[in-house]
Amino acid sequence: MTASTPRGGRRWQIGTLLGVGILVNYFDRISLSVAAPQLQSEFHLDNSDLGLLFSAFFWTYALLQIPTGVILDRFGVSKVGRWGAFLWGVAASLTALAGGFGGIFAARALLGVAEAPGFPASSKATGYWFPRRERAMATAIFDAAAKFSNVIGVPLVALAVVHLGWRWGFGLTAVLSLCYFVAFWAIYRDPSKDSKLSAEEYRHIVAGGATPEGGAQGGSLQMLGYLLRQRKVWGLSIGFAAYGYVFYLFLTWLPGYLVQTMHMSILKSAWFSAIPWIFATLSDLLVGGWLIDHLIARGHDETRVRKGVLLGGMLLGLAVFGTTTTQDPYIAIVWITIALSGLAAAAPVGWSLPSLIAPQGGTGTVGGIMNFANNMMGAIAPIVTGIIVGSTHSFSNAFLVAGVMLLIGMAAFVFLLGRIEPIPAPTDSSSLNGQTAGGRAA
């Protein structure tokens, strides 16, 4: 521990809590992809039907991202986070009780409503709780949880599905969701209201450039309108949408790809699916988290470091093209592992940016805008993939589309995002003169 680091680690306890929340959050999401073969058999569903079911969550989740961001900036992480966690469990329970396609679709749509605050709330809370030089690792904790959920969640849910039936897979995630609701209610407070946070650690957080607590100046809706005119916000949103397309393609279709194309059983596909997610988790934490904070602490330019990892990770994501050249499951997993590891390194950068570029009171709104674009791709990717696979009986063209999306995202990060620095607040002279705060090109 260095002289500048305070004793105690309340902020890291909060960071771990947020990571556990995203872990459980993603257990809920992946349960459908694991149960899909049984659902397909029981309810006589084709690949297009599965694509629609996979997308049901993302339609409501994506459409609520911007309203959720505004609500977060208005009511705060504590209130919104508690109610969201409670509804996760309710939605998972309803899925387990569903009697067919319509019931499952409705329950998944409700899950999208419930989980809409998850990532924006975690991003906002991380901005409150961590100084800038620790922000990458803190963000990587909750972002890596999304990847690690596939490492332990897919096999865990698969065991429940295979031995007890698909309803028990959703029942398991319902219990875990309700347990997290209790934990979040008991533990989470904003720094200024946390009685367990020492004065020394609080000073360390604030002096290190933590996002100031408080609402948006001039109101949340005014902030939304202002941010939608910013070039930085558009660059971040388009780039992260491209990442989301590929990430959600693999999140929803990887087990099905291994079952249908590589002719694996549900359990074998679950274990194979875990391999790329293990490496993605490590890449997320070590590159997207530790390495970025380490380089910035050593004095390297913050924009160059963060954007270098962001673009380098997206470039490695183009390894998705390699899957189109093989029918060998081992070689395919290698290509998928490279792609997901690269994207995983880039993801914490994306999720740290709302708290780094947003004006005061706008972090939740920037996160909501970004995650809306990201998760619209989560809604579109499963449907497009299902249609392509259903019509061609191959995943090759689906993976080619994913690679093209990454190229578009890289262009947005290069030409629109600019330097990683705060957008001037709406009351600044730049906005009063009707100018946008696009920032300088890096």
Side-chain angles (χ1 to χ4, degrees):
M1 179 166 54
T2 65
S4 61
T5 303
R7 292 185 179 277
R10 181 62 174 173
R11 66 193 184 281
W12 294 108
Q13 293 174 11
I14 295 296
T16 301
L17 175 70
L18 298 174
V20 171
I22 297 300
L23 184 71
V24 176
N25 184 303
Y26 270 76
F27 280 2
D28 288 336
R29 300 191 196 189
I30 63 178
S31 55
L32 182 62
S33 64
V34 176
Q38 284 193 6
L39 294 174
Q40 201 167 17
S41 175
E42 181 170 338
F43 299 119
H44 309 292
L45 308 176
D46 59 25
N47 283 320
S48 295
D49 293 328
L50 280 184
L52 288 171
L53 283 183
F54 288 151
S55 74
F57 165 89
F58 294 104
W59 287 114
T60 52
Y61 183 86
L63 291 173
L64 284 175
Q65 284 305 299
I66 295 177
T68 292
V70 173
I71 291 169
L72 269 171
D73 286 337
R74 172 66 179 85
F75 294 103
V77 175
S78 295
K79 291 181 179 178
V80 178
R82 289 171 181 175
W83 282 107
F86 175 73
L87 286 176
W88 295 353
V90 173
S93 300
L94 291 175
T95 311
L97 298 172
F101 178 91
I104 297 172
F105 190 95
R108 298 296 290 183
L110 176 61
L111 184 66
V113 174
E115 294 192 358
F119 262 86
S122 296
S123 178
K124 189 176 181 72
T126 300
Y128 284 167
W129 273 94
F130 289 88
R132 289 178 72 96
R133 68 182 182 88
E134 297 174 351
R135 200 75 55 82
M137 190 64 198
T139 304
I141 289 174
F142 72 78
D143 187 75
K147 283 73 177 176
F148 191 64
S149 66
N150 292 270
V151 177
I152 59 175
V154 171
L156 183 64
V157 175
L159 286 171
V161 168
V162 169
H163 294 292
L164 300 173
W166 65 268
R167 295 185 188 276
W168 284 99
F170 293 108
L172 174 65
T173 61
V175 171
L176 292 174
S177 298
L178 292 172
C179 287
Y180 178 72
F181 158 70
V182 174
F184 187 86
W185 185 289
I187 297 172
Y188 184 83
R189 305 288 184 276
D190 289 340
S192 63
K193 299 176 182 178
D194 194 317
S195 61
K196 296 182 180 180
L197 177 65
S198 69
E200 181 186 11
E201 188 173 3
Y202 182 68
R203 287 193 297 270
H204 170 75
I205 292 169
V206 173
T211 304
E213 296 179 38
Q217 300 179 23
S220 297
L221 290 178
Q222 178 182 336
M223 177 64 77
L224 172 62
Y226 174 70
L227 289 172
L228 287 174
R229 299 194 299 272
Q230 307 309 307
R231 190 181 71 182
K232 282 184 182 297
V233 175
W234 279 96
L236 175 59
S237 300
I238 295 171
F240 215 61
Y243 157 84
Y245 186 96
V246 184
F247 175 77
Y248 287 119
L249 185 158
F250 284 124
L251 187 72
T252 55
W253 277 104
L254 181 54
Y257 164 70
L258 295 173
V259 169
Q260 294 185 36
T261 302
M262 303 302 174
H263 310 294
M264 295 181 180
S265 66
I266 293 177
L267 273 181
K268 186 175 181 180
S269 72
W271 292 114
F272 260 67
S273 296
I275 295 171
W277 295 111
I278 290 173
F279 285 92
T281 302
L282 293 173
S283 176
D284 201 310
L285 291 169
L286 297 178
V287 181
W290 177 83
L291 181 61
I292 289 176
D293 282 343
H294 176 72
L295 291 175
I296 292 174
R298 289 176 63 88
H300 293 276
D301 180 76
E302 183 175 342
T303 289
R304 289 185 180 275
V305 170
R306 294 189 194 277
K307 288 188 72 174
V309 173
L310 188 64
L311 292 171
M314 297 281 277
L315 185 63
L316 286 175
L318 294 176
V320 68
F321 286 134
T323 61
T324 66
T325 65
T326 182
Q327 292 295 315
D328 187 320
Y330 294 94
I331 295 175
I333 284 295
V334 169
W335 285 119
I336 292 170
T337 298
I338 294 171
L340 279 177
S341 296
L343 293 174
V349 181
W351 271 113
S352 68
L353 290 179
S355 64
L356 294 170
I357 71 171
Q360 180 177 347
T363 301
T365 304
V366 172
I369 295 170
M370 179 187 81
N371 213 28
F372 165 75
N374 176 33
N375 283 281
M376 280 306 297
M377 293 299 101
I380 293 170
I383 294 177
V384 171
T385 302
I387 292 172
I388 292 173
V389 173
S391 60
T392 65
H393 305 290
S394 169
F395 278 83
S396 294
N397 288 335
F399 291 147
L400 287 173
V401 171
V404 172
M405 292 297 297
L406 286 179
L407 291 172
I408 294 172
M410 292 171 68
F413 284 139
V414 170
F415 297 110
L416 296 177
L417 179 60
R419 288 191 60 81
I420 299 174
E421 58 191 9
I423 296 169
T427 53
D428 287 359
S429 59
S430 61
S431 68
L432 292 176
N433 292 332
Q435 300 171 359
T436 59
R440 300 186 300 276

